[in-house]
Amino acid sequence: MSRARGKASSVIIVAGESDNDREALRHLIRALHPDPCPKVEMIKDKIKLAAAIDQLSPRVETIRKNALARAKDCGAELAGVVIHADLDQVADETYDRVRERVTLQLRKGLPCKFALALAAVEMEAWLMQFPDAFPKVRSGWTMRPEDCGKDLAYLPNPKEHLQRHLGKPLYRTSDSPLIMAAAVQHGHVSARPSGNNRSFRDFADELASWRK
């Protein structure tokens, strides 16, 4: 009974660039967060961080205010904030610089734990780590064997790649929450999936650190 009270009294807020990415993260958090996982809610502001590296402070302040307000609306304590951003490029040295600068500003500006989902290149590269989830959503979808287990942080256009090679019907960004939900439901998600993406590992490790 005490566990149920703890889960009801705290909330994780998800912020980011799009409804689809936030919804996909909502499913992912529940799979990766150390038990017990608080309730997961979202704020709707389409806040871009990676593309505004020189104007981070006001954006982080917006996240802070909206996360606290959303937690208050839920009648819950703010347990943490998860922030999504597409890097829009592969995970080279630029990834390290962007992640470091955004993390520093989040540490300064947020009054709680946080985890940065800085996806290289896009959320689709994270989805591709779970190839068995795709046919669970659309029976005509199959990832190519050569795409399974590769370093997806260096795949330059994962969204277009899926549209070319996944099958019919054509992949759409609105499919991403369904794919992530299927990956979670069928037990494909772990901190170290068979696919490989450094930006995913960084996020999973950061979320796992919340148990400390």
Side-chain angles (χ1 to χ4, degrees):
M1 184 172 295
S2 60
R3 175 171 171 164
R5 280 202 304 270
K7 291 176 72 174
S9 64
S10 60
V11 63
I12 294 170
I13 301 298
V14 182
E17 298 182 7
S18 77
D19 292 340
N20 293 321
D21 291 330
R22 289 191 296 267
E23 181 67 18
L25 271 179
R26 187 174 67 86
H27 295 293
L28 184 59
I29 290 164
R30 290 169 176 163
L32 294 177
H33 187 282
D35 286 336
C37 183
K39 184 178 181 181
V40 182
E41 297 286 347
M42 298 181 287
I43 53 178
K44 294 294 187 180
D45 305 65
K46 296 182 179 181
I47 299 170
K48 292 181 177 290
L49 292 180
I53 198 68
D54 295 322
Q55 297 177 318
L56 289 173
S57 182
R59 287 166 171 78
V60 172
E61 176 61 11
T62 297
I63 292 173
R64 184 190 71 82
K65 289 181 178 179
N66 291 348
L68 288 170
R70 188 75 183 94
K72 184 177 181 181
D73 289 343
C74 295
E77 179 182 355
L78 182 59
V81 178
V82 170
I83 306 99
H84 166 265
D86 281 333
L87 184 64
D88 291 329
Q89 61 187 79
V90 300
D92 56 14
E93 64 276 3
T94 300
Y95 168 81
D96 295 308
R97 292 197 300 269
V98 173
R99 186 173 185 87
E100 181 178 359
R101 290 186 66 176
V102 174
T103 296
L104 180 61
Q105 192 61 52
L106 292 172
R107 189 175 294 123
K108 289 179 180 177
L110 295 181
C112 59
K113 296 176 181 178
F114 65 85
L116 176 60
L118 182 60
V121 168
E122 303 162 323
M123 180 63 74
E124 280 74 14
W126 286 20
L127 296 173
M128 290 175 68
Q129 297 177 112
F130 316 114
D132 293 336
F134 287 88
K136 301 290 197 308
V137 177
R138 305 278 187 257
S139 60
W141 283 353
T142 304
M143 273 183 54
R144 302 184 310 170
E146 59 264 39
D147 290 331
C148 300
K150 69 190 299 183
D151 192 341
L152 296 160
Y154 288 92
L155 183 64
N157 297 294
K159 188 181 303 179
E160 290 80 358
H161 189 89
L162 287 176
Q163 290 173 338
R164 285 196 305 272
H165 301 297
L166 187 59
K168 300 295 183 182
L170 196 70
Y171 170 82
R172 301 173 300 173
T173 55
S174 57
D175 294 314
S176 61
L178 300 175
I179 297 164
M180 191 65 80
V184 172
Q185 179 184 351
H186 294 280
H188 303 313
V189 174
S190 70
R192 295 293 186 272
S194 58
N196 182 26
N197 188 308
R198 177 187 170 192
S199 64
F200 177 88
R201 295 198 309 271
D202 287 344
F203 171 71
D205 290 348
E206 202 161 53
L207 200 59
S209 74
W210 287 17
R211 69 166 53 92
K212 299 176 182 177

